[in-house]
């Protein structure tokens, strides 16, 4: 049974939190390292100036969460709801060579990654409807098997991105960098839609 939860400490190491009901709450200045959150509800809540290091969220609801300038360092989200999130609210590492977060089988709809530097982002088997990726640097990311219907790509760095199995993406190759990106042959025909050409069998 889910239980209402309040974090009473300022730092946690190697802790497991299960079935925590913590929606519409605010948590400030807490550090979590190597912690695991399972089936927790943080929807409509705020983590203000918190720090998550090598943490894992599994089957959690974090929709409409405000990250409040918290930092995420090697954080993995699996089977989570992450709808309607402004990812610019995260305090991202300034010199990271690759993205410090990964998403697997998550819902990410109606969210924004606008102008973010997230090279090497892992977004596998996700549903990402109406997501704003404009002017983001997503080079070398893995977007395999993700549904991008109604999502926005404009002046986005998608070089060397893996789109194998991805669906419903609308990417103008004249206004995005898709150099050496990987697409399935049939799906790649979508890339030609903005070239004012006629395709015949």
């Amino acid at each position: 049974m889910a239980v209402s939860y309040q974090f009473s400490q300022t730092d946690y190491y190697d802790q497991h939190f299960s079935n925590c009901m913590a929606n519409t709450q605010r948590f400030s200045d807490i550090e979590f390292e190597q912690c695991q959150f399972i089936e927790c509800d943080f929807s409509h809540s705020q983590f203000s100036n918190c720090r998550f290091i090598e943490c894992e969220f599994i089957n959690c609801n974090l929709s409409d969460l405000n990250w409040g300038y918290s930092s995420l360092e090697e954080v993995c989200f699996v089977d989570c709801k992450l709808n309607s999130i402004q990812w610019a609210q995260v305090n991202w590492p300034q010199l990271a060579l690759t993205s410090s977060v990964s998403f697997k089988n998550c819902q990410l709809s109606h969210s924004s990654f606008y102008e973010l530097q997230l090279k090497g982002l892992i977004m596998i088997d996700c549903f990402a409807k109406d997501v704003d990726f404009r002017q983001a640097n997503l080079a070398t990311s893995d977007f395999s098997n993700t549904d991008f219907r109604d999502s926005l790509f404009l002046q986005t760095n998608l070089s060397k991105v893996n789109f194998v199995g991805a669906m419903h993406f609308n990417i103008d190759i004249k206004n995005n960098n898709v150099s050496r990106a990987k697409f399935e042959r049939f799906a790649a025909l979508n890339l030609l839609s903005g070239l004012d050409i006629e395709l015949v069998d």
Side-chain angles (χ1 to χ4, degrees), residues 81-177:
K81 293 181 180 179
L82 295 146
N83 299 312
S84 303
I85 290 180
Q86 298 293 321
W87 290 95
Q89 295 169 343
V90 173
N91 180 16
W92 298 104
Q94 295 298 311
L95 301 176
L97 297 178
T98 59
S99 172
S100 56
V101 295
S102 65
F103 306 100
K104 298 177 182 178
N105 198 37
C106 291
Q107 298 179 31
L108 295 152
S109 298
H110 314 300
S111 298
S112 177
F113 293 85
Y114 179 69
E115 288 189 331
L116 294 182
Q117 300 290 317
L118 291 174
K119 294 175 64 175
L121 176 64
I122 294 174
M123 190 180 290
I124 299 174
D125 298 313
C126 293
F127 185 67
K129 178 182 178 180
D130 185 32
V131 177
D132 190 350
F133 295 104
R134 292 175 301 159
Q135 300 183 39
N137 184 357
L138 306 171
T140 70
S141 294
D142 187 352
F143 291 161
S144 54
N145 302 312
T146 288
D147 189 332
F148 289 104
R149 67 185 66 192
D150 301 325
S151 288
L152 299 176
F153 297 91
L154 179 65
Q155 297 179 8
T156 308
N157 186 354
L158 300 168
S159 61
K160 300 182 182 180
V161 170
N162 180 13
F163 279 99
V164 173
M167 299 164 286
H168 303 122
F169 51 82
N170 184 9
I171 300 171
D172 186 343
I173 60 176
K174 294 183 295 183
N175 291 298
N176 294 280
N177 180 2

